[in-house]
Each structure stands twice: as structure tokens, then as C-alpha cells.
Amino acid sequence: MLKVGIIGCGSIFTMHATSCDHLENAKLIGVCDIKKERADAAAQKYNVPAYYDYKELIERERPDIVHVCVPHYLHPIISRYALEQGVNVLCEKPMSIRYEDGLENVRIAKEKGLKYGIIFQCRYNNTSKLVKENLENGKLGKVISARVVLTWCKPDSYYSLSDWKGTWDKEGGGVIIDQAIHSLDLANWFINDEPIEVQAHLSNRGHSIMEVDDTGEGFIRYKNGATLSFWAMNNYGCDDPIEIRLLCEKGKVVMSYDDALITFNDGTALSTATQNDGIDYEGGKDYWGFQHIRQINDFYHAVEENRQPQISGEEALKIQKLICEIYEKGRWN
Ligand SMILES: NC(=O)c1ccc[n+]([C@@H]2O[C@H](COP(=O)([O-])OP(=O)(O)OC[C@H]3O[C@@H](n4cnc5c(N)ncnc54)[C@H](O)[C@@H]3O)[C@@H](O)[C@H]2O)c1
């Protein structure tokens, strides 16, 4: 049985704790949050000890794995501490705000022979898997051009009720690093090549209450000639389905959040929909999807089998580098 600790008992905690609870090879042994009431409530629900200091959880419980579910700026700090203590780390996206901090943790994990994974659960959607499969088996050919559109709604209260969202130092950005990161990761994963040119324009158009981007658009060119265009914004009136479209050598792909349709040039088609695996994530949000458990399951098996997790720190560095370049090019203040 793998001993698991979770650090951070905020809104995403439920996806991690519920997943751990459902997986047979792991057991939650402690939770931690600096907000005492959150740690206590989580501890009571799962009947495990509550900690208010992550170092104490690691020292007392000696977990095999910690899940890092805290604000962005703390991801590299807590991940690094855990890795240095010999603990495998599964961290929420993004791995860090600065690329160099993620890179350093990849180095430490490698040196220590530990597993370091970053959550990008959307890669586990049935839709994403179908598209990736048809790119890898050559049926779609290579991606020529991709586009990502995200139009979501984040009211002022989303920022005013948080002590870290909407700030450059703690969130590291807004719609790009927090929301669009998943769709940009998918598109980048589908294209699977090296970005050689990044153009971006970011702005804050509708949220004077906070300082980071609520709008971003840009263009990325890859070494193999593929291009990715994106537009993301948090000023719409509701969370509309994200749309990812791909023009490939042998067909076209339209992904609209829970549905994917592949139309091949020969007139045949394939489609699928993403579904919940039948688990009730109490308090989970629909737009997070339901696939945390699939990635967490892979990570636990990677630890048991001493192999790399499917989304390792090294793999996550690809999207981290791109996100950092988008901010470098597009940040206005
Ligand atoms: N994968 C996804 O789709 C998805 C969805 C939502 C959030 N997230 C990610 O999860 C992370 C947390 O987001 P959230 O929405 O749960 O935020 P949140 O603010 O609701 O929760 C963060 C928690 O961390 C706690 N915390 C802060 N400093 C701490 C410390 N030093 N030690 C222990 N606990 C500490 C806070 O008190 C808070 O309870 C973020 O990185 C976010 O990007 C991912």
C-alpha cells in the first residue's frame, strides 16, 4: 500500500482525495493546509491526521507520495522540499511560475530516482485519447494547423475571494497560466514538435479588480511547419465548451470539450465523448473534467513499477516553456 499525503485542502482537493480513496494500491495517511479549518474538515472526512505545516506531515508520516494542491507560487517550493526528503511528488498544474524552477525539480527528481508528475488530466479524456491515438498511428497524418478557443466566465468574486488568484507573484498570470494551459497543452501535445516562434498579446479588459491577464491571443510556429493559433478570455457570460480544431494531412478534428469528431479525407469518421468513470467527486466542477483519477492511477503505478509516469516533470516542461514564452512576449506590465 502506497502512503499518500495531500498538501492543500482547497477546491481541487476533492479530485485528489476522492481518487486516492478509490484506488486500491494507495491509502491517504494525512492532509495539510495552513488554514486550520480546511485541514481539520478534510482530516475528519477521511479519518486521517490534520497538519498545518507540510514539513511536519512529511517528517511524521513519511509518505511515499505527496500531492501538491496549493497556490502556483508554492508548487516548486513544496515539490522541491518533498523531493529532497525522498518523497515522490504529484503536483497540480502549472509545475511552477518560472521555467527554471520546474527544470530544477526535474533535475532533483532524476538525481534522487524519484517520480515527479504534473497534473494535466485533460490528456486522459476519451476525446483527447482518440485524437492522440489517430495521430500516433498515422491515420490523421501530421497536424498542419491547430486552433484553440476558450471563452469562460470568471466574475470579480473569483479573484476577490481568493488570496492568490489574480496576482503576478502568486498566480503568475491569469487566463493563460491557469485556464488555457490545459487546452494549449493538448494542442502542443497533438502537434508534438518544437515551437520555434511565439507571438502573443495579453491584456486585462474586464477585471480592474485584479492585475493579470483575462484575455490572451497568440500564434506559435513549430519546427516542422505546423502552427497553433489561440484565443482565450475570461470575460464571457458563462463557461462555454472549449474548442480545439486541428487541420491534419489526412483529416480534420473538432473537439468541443466533451465531444470529439474526426473526419478523414476519405470520408470516414470517428467520434467519441468523454464520460465520468462513475465516481462522485463531491464539489468537483464540470469544466475540470473527471479524469484526475486516471492520471493519479498511472502515477501510483509508476511509483510501484519504478517507471516514469505518463506526464512526468520532464514532459510537463514542454508546456511550461511555452507558457513562459507566451508571458515573456505578451505581458504588458
Ligand atoms: N487540474 C485542474 O483542472 C485544476 C482545477 C482547479 C485547480 N487546479 C490547481 O490546483 C491548485 C490549487 O487550486 P485551488 O483551486 O484548490 O486553490 P484554493 O485556493 O482553493 O486552495 C489552495 C489551498 O492551499 C492552501 N495553502 C496555501 N499555502 C499552503 C501551505 N504553505 N501549506 C499547505 N497548504 C497551503 C490554502 O490555504 C488553500 O486551502 C492550483 O495550482 C490550481 O491551478 C487545477
Side-chain angles (χ1 to χ4, degrees):
M1 245 349 189
L2 296 164
K3 295 196 291 174
V4 173
I6 304 182
I7 302 169
C9 303
S11 60
I12 203 64
F13 171 84
T14 182
M15 305 306 284
H16 290 258
T18 310
S19 300
C20 179
D21 210 30
H22 276 78
L23 294 169
E24 286 176 354
N25 53 349
K27 186 173 165 40
L28 189 64
I29 47 87
V31 293
C32 170
D33 200 295
I34 47 165
K35 291 184 178 145
K36 188 174 180 300
E37 65 287 358
R38 290 194 181 175
D40 289 347
Q44 195 177 17
K45 179 165 181 193
Y46 289 95
N47 197 23
V48 293
Y51 290 89
Y52 317 115
D53 175 345
Y54 65 88
K55 294 183 179 171
E56 207 176 315
L57 181 151
I58 290 173
E59 273 147 35
R60 292 243 194 111
E61 303 292 341
R62 303 306 314 167
D64 298 301
I65 297 166
V66 289
H67 294 225
V68 177
C69 304
V70 295
H72 296 173
Y73 73 105
L74 291 169
H75 287 186
I77 298 170
I78 297 182
S79 299
R80 181 180 181 144
Y81 180 82
L83 290 168
E84 282 173 342
Q85 297 299 308
V87 180
N88 299 288
V89 171
L90 182 57
C91 180
E92 265 295 346
K93 49 52 76 167
M95 65 199 307
S96 53
I97 292 176
R98 284 169 12 109
Y99 175 76
E100 295 71 24
D101 295 334
L103 189 65
E104 177 62 0
N105 281 341
V106 167
R107 189 193 65 74
I108 296 169
K110 205 170 182 179
E111 185 183 282
K112 296 249 174 201
L114 293 163
K115 308 304 167 220
Y116 175 38
I118 310 298
I119 293 283
F120 282 101
Q121 80 277 7
C122 298
R123 288 199 191 183
Y124 290 81
N125 288 341
N126 297 350
T127 49
S128 316
K129 282 165 52 180
L130 181 76
V131 173
K132 187 67 178 172
E133 208 176 280
N134 279 275
L135 286 164
E136 281 184 337
N137 66 18
K139 289 190 181 154
L140 268 169
K142 86 172 179 68
V143 179
I144 296 167
S145 190
R147 83 167 215 218
V148 166
V149 174
L150 178 154
T151 55
W152 276 6
C153 172
K154 296 289 172 219
D156 280 354
S157 58
Y158 177 81
Y159 301 99
S160 63
L161 293 174
S162 170
D163 48 17
W164 63 279
K165 296 252 180 190
T167 64
W168 287 115
D169 59 337
K170 294 191 168 75
E171 193 180 13
V175 67
I176 296 296
I177 200 169
D178 207 341
Q179 284 82 39
I181 190 170
H182 286 294
S183 328
L184 291 171
D185 174 63
L186 286 180
N188 191 53
W189 184 51
F190 294 148
I191 294 172
N192 196 26
D193 202 70
E194 189 192 330
I196 51 163
E197 179 190 346
V198 176
Q199 297 178 31
H201 184 267
L202 309 177
S203 53
N204 181 330
R205 295 195 165 136
H207 293 84
S208 55
I209 190 168
M210 58 84 173
E211 62 192 33
V212 299
D213 49 301
D214 65 9
T215 307
E217 64 85 23
F219 173 83
I220 298 155
R221 194 188 301 281
Y222 290 80
K223 202 172 177 179
N224 69 359
T227 62
L228 163 58
S229 301
F230 64 90
W231 177 50
M233 61 97 150
N234 277 336
N235 293 309
Y236 193 54
C238 66
D239 295 323
D240 241 13
I242 292 162
E243 211 179 72
I244 301 177
R245 287 180 180 242
L246 307 177
L247 171 68
C248 305
E249 287 170 326
K250 299 182 197 168
K252 284 184 176 176
V253 174
V254 178
M255 294 173 73
S256 182
Y257 208 73
D258 283 342
D259 299 298
L261 173 66
I262 302 178
T263 315
F264 295 101
N265 293 348
D266 66 7
T268 58
L270 282 174
S271 66
T272 190
T274 287
Q275 281 160 351
N276 184 348
D277 290 335
I279 296 165
D280 179 14
Y281 297 98
E282 224 176 285
K285 301 207 172 88
D286 282 353
Y287 58 76
W288 293 341
F290 304 101
Q291 314 310 341
H292 269 80
I293 193 164
R294 296 187 184 175
Q295 187 175 351
I296 292 169
N297 186 36
D298 171 70
F299 189 81
Y300 291 173
H301 278 97
V303 171
E304 276 188 334
E305 295 155 20
N306 192 23
R307 62 161 171 84
Q308 279 305 308
Q310 286 164 351
I311 311 179
S312 62
E314 212 157 355
E315 176 64 22
L317 278 174
K318 296 177 188 167
I319 184 63
Q320 189 62 34
K321 189 159 189 240
L322 199 52
I323 294 289
C324 289
E325 280 182 32
I326 290 171
Y327 278 100
E328 209 181 290
K329 296 280 161 59
R331 191 173 155 166
W332 72 97
N333 69 355

